[in-house]
Amino acid sequence: MDKFSLKNVTGLTTIEVSQKLKTEGYNELPSEKKQSILQTIFNVIKEPMLILLILSGLVYFFLGESRDALMLLSFVIVVVVITIYQERKTEKAIEALKNLSSPRALVIRDSQQLRIPGREVVREDYLIIKEGDRVPADGVVIASSNLMIDESLLTGESLPVSKTEWDGKQESKHPGGENLPFVYSGTLVVQGHAIVKVTAIGIGTEMGKIGKALQSIPEEDTLLKKETARIVRNFAIGGLILCVLVVTIYGLTRHDWLQGFLAGLTLSMAMLPEEFGVVLMIFLSLGAWRISKRQVLTRHTAAVETLGSATVLCVDKTGTLTLNKMMLMSMVVGNDQFKFDDERKKVTEEKFHKLLEYSDLASEKDPFDPIEKEIKRITEKYLSNTEHIHDNWKLVKEYSLSKKLLALSHVWQSKDKRGYVIAAKGAPEAIADLCHLNQTEVKQLEVQINEMAIKGLRVIGVAKALFDKPALPGQQHDFKFEFVGLLGFADPIRATVPPALQECYRAGIRVIMITGDYPGTACHIASAIGLKNPDKYLTGPQLNQMNHLDLREKIKDINIFARVVPEQKLLIVNALKANGEIVAMTGDGVNDAPALKSANIGIAMGERGTDVAREASDLVLLNDDFSSIVAAIKVGRRIFDNLKKAMSYIFAVHIPIAGMSFLPILFKMPIILLPAHIAFLELIIDPACSIVFEAESEEKDIMSRPPRNLKEPLFGKRTVALSLVQGLSALALVFAFFMILLYRKTPEIEARTLSFVALVITNLALILSNLSWSRNIFKEILKTTNRALWMVLILTIAFLILILNLPFMRVLFHFSTVNLKGFASAMVVGLISVIWFEALKIINKKIK
């Protein structure tokens, strides 16, 4: 190839390159116009939840409660900062793809070899690529020597593919497949070297097409975000209506419109659900932290809740279900077989020593190819310090793979220089051809190969020859080869995958394997891990013959998709989504980025994944362990479960707070709740309670339930009814308690104080009761190790006691002193408000 490069390739001239750069542009992906910080801030604060938070803060300012107002507005600032940070990170997906597609390049121009930035490569440039290089553009191979390229970034195939020289006629195809003359931008040369003529740059490359697809996929709001926004809107409308009603009633009945306006603002404070935004932020942020403890990094916090709703998990085989490395599993010599089921077992027979010896001689000294790496590892492990290792031999010649013969040979000269030793390895049928095996021997070999292939092994044949003439022949067939044996390699499955897969099935989650590998390999892996329907599959070519509706129908019971290309992965994910599924997709390569972004939850591999996959994903598996996905799903379900309880509690507790603000005005009674009381209830207890619910452990059956139904809202009819009854019963008891106190001629300030105590205890009782909708408050919940719960209970009671006993606090809250009997009666009222719900739990448990 070196002679060819010097004599036959002069490359483009400087003038030609300059002209092409002007007309065709640089070898890079076009960047999207970035939003300014001010534009991003505006887009964030126009969200309904944040608007309500800001309005609530302004209400506190107008009422003179500047500390409470600043606290609310600080929450707004935190949300804005986090959102801006997340927005900026999503832009890095295109940047990562751009950087990956522009490595340094060695080109021939004006008959000189030049090292230039990859972005300066132009169409019709001549590239020199060699082992370890990242290909900077798409092209065709003009001349090569034993060229093998890892195209897993584009195809998902775990093994590198060999390349041949272009015949000048063959048209470009999709990446993947052996002995094709096409190379693609972003792929990695693992063996050999070549001269390549560039045919496409930038957006015109296969990687560029992926980048374009990545840009065109719109971001979607999660179901929870949409539903929460709807709930907040409804609360805001209800609060506004009641606020107007209170101002009107107060002004007409008491003829004090200013006080009526203040009373209306107080009620609006009681109704405005500023907790929803805070609670959602706290749950998702702490949820991301909890998931990170299970080796899963959260890039978009909204995906935390969606993860628990996943109904389908699309898994890329290489590096996700498997270890993405080749391991020697068995050796066959004649009729004898040696299995590496336990590497502590010694290889004692000389025949297997010979097989390893010649396998090593047929490999590179410092290999980059995964199969050759494994051969070297095993040879050094079992044959070190033996006569089978030949570090002092000299490599004289290499015979590379070709279209006609899928085998390569290395010619060695020993230290004593007595002739040549030739070692060959390659496809078993090619090695059999080199050895001129007779028909009986070929049939026997085919039986052995089939037995190994059924087990999902990649089979390599090995041969040896001696040659004592001084001039080496021009082709491998001129040597008299002797068949040595077979090597069987496999990309082993992760040990944690089968049990994790079964847990997915128990949780009602369907698992689909999407891979660029052949159907036989995919089916074997599927069977080994326990995937359902391991014998049914669809291939990429079959997908090409289907329309969207056919695919939607077929995909309902097909769990294996083999030999697919990136566009087809995206089609599969979109077909599942069209069928109403919540799709989680794992992947590690550039080829997975569009599907990762389109999926409801994109999960990238952290160890082996590319920057592009990580930046396009919602979650990143830091340890690439499939079982971590299941752990994350469990956490996601727990988060949604607890979030639902917290939201229900907030809904329920707002009823007595709003009611105790509204009813006294309606019935011309003394005002009970003042702004300071609302601030205490909402800005101290409620956010703290959200932390309590977030910290609560999951229910025992959380991974035995089916995924959340897509049509089931966060606040379904049953949940709303339950929260409504809880809130109304609490309101009825506390308001009745207040009326009884007034009826007994209790002073107004004392009645207000005792009613407030009852309302605080009711609040705490609602927390305890809603922590679990199956466990009893007295039997199990009070035995909990939830430290946040105990902290809230103790601090709330302690702060309440301080308010009642410190004179300046009593003045601030407009309270009086209370005796022990009055305090105890208020506590009893608060606890009675949830007794009925505890009885309902017991009844439900008995029914089940």
Side-chain angles (χ1 to χ4, degrees):
M1 193 192 85
D2 293 333
K3 291 181 180 179
F4 179 88
S5 66
L6 291 173
K7 290 184 177 181
N8 301 300
V9 178
T10 59
L12 298 173
T13 65
T14 304
I15 296 174
E16 288 173 329
V17 170
S18 179
Q19 185 62 36
K20 284 184 176 291
L21 285 174
K22 288 180 181 178
T23 57
E24 299 180 9
Y26 285 92
N27 179 32
E28 59 188 8
L29 298 180
S31 300
E32 289 183 326
K33 187 178 180 181
K34 294 182 180 178
Q35 290 189 61
S36 68
I37 292 292
L38 289 177
Q39 287 175 314
T40 305
I41 291 173
F42 175 75
N43 289 334
V44 173
I45 62 175
K46 69 181 184 181
E47 290 287 334
M49 280 189 287
L50 288 181
I51 291 174
L52 288 171
L53 280 172
I54 293 169
L55 289 175
S56 299
L58 293 175
V59 168
Y60 280 108
F61 265 126
F62 293 145
L63 292 172
E65 302 289 339
S66 58
R67 291 183 180 179
D68 299 324
L70 288 173
M71 185 182 297
L72 269 182
L73 294 177
S74 69
F75 282 128
V76 174
I77 293 170
V78 170
V79 172
V80 169
V81 169
I82 290 174
T83 307
I84 289 174
Y85 174 73
Q86 296 294 349
E87 288 282 335
R88 287 289 179 255
K89 287 197 75 174
T90 57
E91 292 175 1
K92 291 182 181 178
I94 300 299
E95 289 299 318
L97 190 56
K98 179 180 175 180
N99 293 336
L100 186 60
S101 64
S102 185
R104 301 290 293 178
L106 182 62
V107 298
I108 302 173
R109 290 178 180 172
D110 294 315
S111 300
Q112 300 293 319
Q113 296 183 20
L114 302 173
R115 182 74 65 177
I116 64 171
R119 70 186 296 270
E120 295 179 7
V121 170
V122 297
R123 202 171 50 81
E124 297 185 354
D125 248 333
Y126 285 90
L127 303 172
I128 298 174
I129 58 174
K130 58 184 178 180
E131 187 174 308
D133 284 348
R134 184 77 67 178
V135 180
D138 287 6
V140 291
V141 178
I142 302 301
S144 67
S145 175
N146 200 26
L147 181 64
M148 298 195 74
I149 293 183
D150 179 359
E151 295 182 347
S152 61
L153 291 179
L154 295 170
T155 66
E157 293 182 22
S158 57
L159 294 172
V161 292
S162 60
K163 297 294 179 179
T164 58
E165 295 170 8
W166 188 45
D167 59 8
K169 299 178 181 178
Q170 195 170 356
E171 294 183 359
S172 179
K173 297 181 179 179
H174 284 296
E178 295 280 351
N179 299 308
L180 294 174
F182 310 107
V183 297
Y184 303 95
S185 175
T187 58
L188 184 66
V189 181
V190 298
Q191 185 174 300
H193 44 276
I195 294 177
V196 171
K197 185 177 182 180
V198 176
T199 57
I201 61 170
I203 201 71
T205 65
E206 288 296 318
M207 185 179 291
K209 294 172 185 175
I210 294 173
K212 189 175 181 181
L214 194 61
Q215 288 177 311
S216 65
I217 299 170
E219 296 280 358
E220 295 182 10
D221 283 343
T222 65
L223 297 175
L224 182 58
K225 188 174 181 181
K226 293 175 183 176
E227 189 177 352
T228 306
R230 187 169 61 251
I231 293 168
V232 171
R233 181 197 62 201
N234 294 339
F235 262 78
I237 293 171
L240 181 62
I241 293 171
L242 284 177
C243 177
V244 173
L245 188 62
V246 163
V247 172
T248 304
I249 293 172
Y250 201 103
L252 292 175
T253 59
R254 306 192 188 194
H255 308 291
D256 189 341
W257 290 95
L258 179 59
Q259 288 298 320
F261 181 69
L262 292 174
L265 286 178
T266 302
L267 179 60
S268 69
M269 288 162 51
M271 288 293 296
L272 283 174
E274 67 270 13
E275 302 96 345
F276 281 104
V278 176
V279 166
L280 188 60
M281 183 186 71
I282 289 173
F283 265 72
L284 297 184
S285 298
L286 289 180
W289 172 74
R290 292 187 185 281
I291 289 178
S292 70
K293 294 172 71 175
R294 289 162 175 79
Q295 297 298 305
V296 180
L297 175 66
T298 304
R299 294 192 63 257
H300 302 129
T301 53
V304 173
E305 62 90 8
T306 315
L307 186 63
S309 305
T311 58
V312 177
L313 179 56
C314 293
V315 183
D316 183 65
K317 177 187 72 66
T318 305
T320 308
L321 300 177
T322 66
L323 295 173
N324 196 23
K325 66 178 184 179
M326 301 307 295
M327 291 185 67
L328 184 58
M329 306 302 293
S330 67
M331 299 187 293
V332 175
V333 177
N335 293 319
D336 297 323
Q337 185 175 14
F338 181 90
K339 294 182 179 180
F340 289 90
D341 47 5
D342 184 354
E343 286 202 10
R344 293 173 297 180
K345 190 167 62 175
K346 293 184 178 180
V347 182
T348 57
E349 295 186 59
E350 182 65 20
K351 65 177 86 174
F352 295 118
H353 288 182
K354 285 288 184 185
L355 177 56
L356 286 176
E357 175 186 2
Y358 284 96
S359 302
D360 186 49
L361 288 172
S363 304
E364 297 293 331
K365 281 188 175 182
D366 186 17
F368 203 78
D369 176 74
I371 283 183
E372 293 192 347
K373 279 185 175 181
E374 175 66 359
I375 289 172
K376 187 174 184 65
R377 184 185 74 84
I378 292 293
T379 302
E380 290 179 348
K381 181 179 177 70
Y382 291 104
L383 302 183
S384 58
N385 301 319
T386 70
E387 72 276 9
H388 298 288
I389 300 292
H390 307 289
D391 291 331
N392 56 356
W393 284 16
K394 179 183 177 182
L395 181 63
V396 178
K397 185 177 175 62
E398 295 182 38
Y399 292 88
S400 60
L401 291 163
S402 66
K403 280 185 178 180
K404 296 180 179 179
L405 186 65
L406 297 177
L408 61 86
S409 297
H410 286 179
V411 180
W412 296 88
Q413 192 170 54
S414 63
K415 190 176 181 181
D416 57 17
K417 297 185 180 180
R418 293 180 182 176
Y420 299 103
V421 176
I422 301 92
K425 76 175 192 303
E429 58 273 18
I431 297 297
D433 184 31
L434 282 177
C435 296
H436 304 290
L437 299 183
N438 59 43
Q439 192 172 0
T440 303
E441 291 171 327
V442 169
K443 286 184 177 179
Q444 183 182 354
L445 185 64
E446 287 175 350
V447 171
Q448 293 173 331
I449 294 169
N450 289 335
E451 288 177 354
M452 297 173 78
I454 290 172
K455 297 174 183 177
L457 300 180
R458 166 80 180 269
V459 185
I460 301 292
V462 180
K464 66 176 182 177
L466 297 174
F467 194 77
D468 55 8
K469 295 180 182 179
L472 291 171
Q475 56 181 359
Q476 299 178 71
H477 268 294
D478 293 332
F479 295 114
K480 190 175 181 181
F481 279 106
E482 176 187 341
F483 194 85
V484 179
L486 299 172
L487 301 175
F489 297 86
D491 185 0
I493 63 171
R494 293 178 179 271
T496 55
V497 169
L501 182 63
Q502 292 309 310
E503 190 165 7
C504 283
Y505 287 146
R506 287 194 296 273
I509 301 168
R510 179 182 169 197
V511 179
I512 292 176
M513 181 195 299
I514 303 177
T515 178
D517 269 333
Y518 291 94
T521 304
C523 290
H524 173 78
I525 295 293
S527 181
I529 64 175
L531 193 72
K532 290 181 179 178
N533 301 329
D535 298 326
K536 297 180 71 174
Y537 61 86
L538 283 177
T539 64
Q542 290 172 324
L543 289 177
N544 284 335
Q545 299 173 6
M546 293 183 183
N547 59 39
H548 183 63
L549 292 176
D550 290 338
L551 179 56
R552 285 182 60 182
E553 187 62 34
K554 281 280 187 182
I555 208 169
K556 291 179 180 178
D557 64 349
I558 297 292
N559 296 327
I560 301 173
F561 290 85
R563 301 300 291 168
V564 298
V565 295
E567 294 84 354
Q568 293 169 330
K569 289 188 177 185
L570 187 58
L571 288 173
I572 292 167
V573 170
N574 288 339
L576 288 166
K577 289 172 68 178
N579 283 346
E581 306 283 4
I582 295 292
V583 183
M585 160 79 182
T586 68
D588 59 0
V590 174
N591 62 302
D592 296 319
L596 285 171
K597 192 173 182 183
S598 180
N600 300 96
I601 312 110
I603 309 171
M605 302 296 114
E607 290 183 350
R608 302 181 187 277
T610 62
D611 288 341
V612 178
R614 285 191 288 270
E615 294 296 336
S617 66
D618 302 297
L619 304 173
V620 179
L621 290 186
L622 299 178
N623 60 356
D624 287 11
D625 192 338
F626 180 78
S627 63
S628 294
I629 302 173
V630 183
I633 289 173
K634 187 175 183 179
V635 174
R637 288 191 174 194
R638 167 190 166 181
I639 290 167
F640 180 80
D641 211 25
N642 289 345
L643 181 60
K644 189 173 183 178
K645 295 171 187 175
M647 294 290 197
S648 298
Y649 154 73
I650 293 170
F651 182 78
V653 83
H654 266 276
I655 293 174
I657 293 174
M660 293 300 283
S661 300
F662 178 70
L663 292 178
I665 296 171
L666 186 64
F667 295 113
K668 292 187 180 182
M669 300 171 71
I671 299 296
I672 300 174
L673 296 179
L674 302 174
H677 306 151
I678 305 278
F680 177 85
L681 289 168
E682 296 198 6
L683 295 180
I684 298 175
I685 296 178
D686 292 352
C689 293
S690 302
I691 297 172
V692 171
F693 280 103
E694 193 283 329
E696 185 64 16
S697 59
E698 68 274 359
E699 302 281 0
K700 293 179 181 178
D701 66 340
I702 200 161
M703 287 300 280
S704 299
R705 311 174 192 167
R708 174 194 173 200
N709 192 311
L710 291 174
K711 297 179 181 179
E712 177 196 341
L714 179 65
F715 277 141
K717 292 180 180 179
R718 182 175 178 275
T719 306
V720 170
L722 192 64
S723 299
L724 195 62
V725 173
Q726 280 186 319
L728 289 174
S729 63
L731 172 61
L733 282 165
V734 175
F735 189 67
F737 180 58
F738 178 66
M739 292 180 66
I740 291 170
L741 290 172
L742 293 180
Y743 178 77
R744 295 176 62 181
K745 307 299 182 182
T746 304
E748 179 184 320
I749 191 170
E750 185 179 343
R752 176 189 296 122
T753 305
L754 290 174
S755 298
F756 182 78
V757 172
L759 190 56
V760 170
I761 301 303
T762 299
N763 196 334
L764 296 179
L766 284 171
I767 295 170
L768 289 168
S769 190
N770 280 283
L771 274 178
S772 175
W773 290 346
S774 62
R775 290 174 287 155
N776 185 270
I777 184 175
F778 303 107
K779 286 185 178 180
E780 297 180 56
I781 294 178
L782 288 177
K783 298 177 184 177
T784 183
T785 57
N786 188 335
R787 289 183 293 179
L789 170 64
W790 291 112
M791 181 182 69
V792 167
L793 292 176
I794 293 169
L795 290 179
T796 302
I797 297 297
F799 194 52
L800 185 60
I801 292 171
L802 286 176
I803 291 173
L804 298 175
N805 288 280
L806 293 178
F808 80 93
M809 294 291 286
R810 285 203 303 271
V811 171
L812 178 65
F813 280 83
H814 301 275
F815 285 160
S816 68
T817 57
V818 295
N819 56 35
L820 188 60
K821 182 179 178 182
F823 190 85
S825 62
M827 288 192 68
V828 170
V829 170
L831 292 173
I832 289 175
S833 65
V834 297
I835 291 296
W836 69 270
F837 189 47
E838 295 307 306
L840 183 64
K841 290 181 188 179
I842 295 171
I843 293 170
N844 283 339
K845 201 168 185 179
K846 287 182 178 180
I847 292 174
K848 288 181 179 180

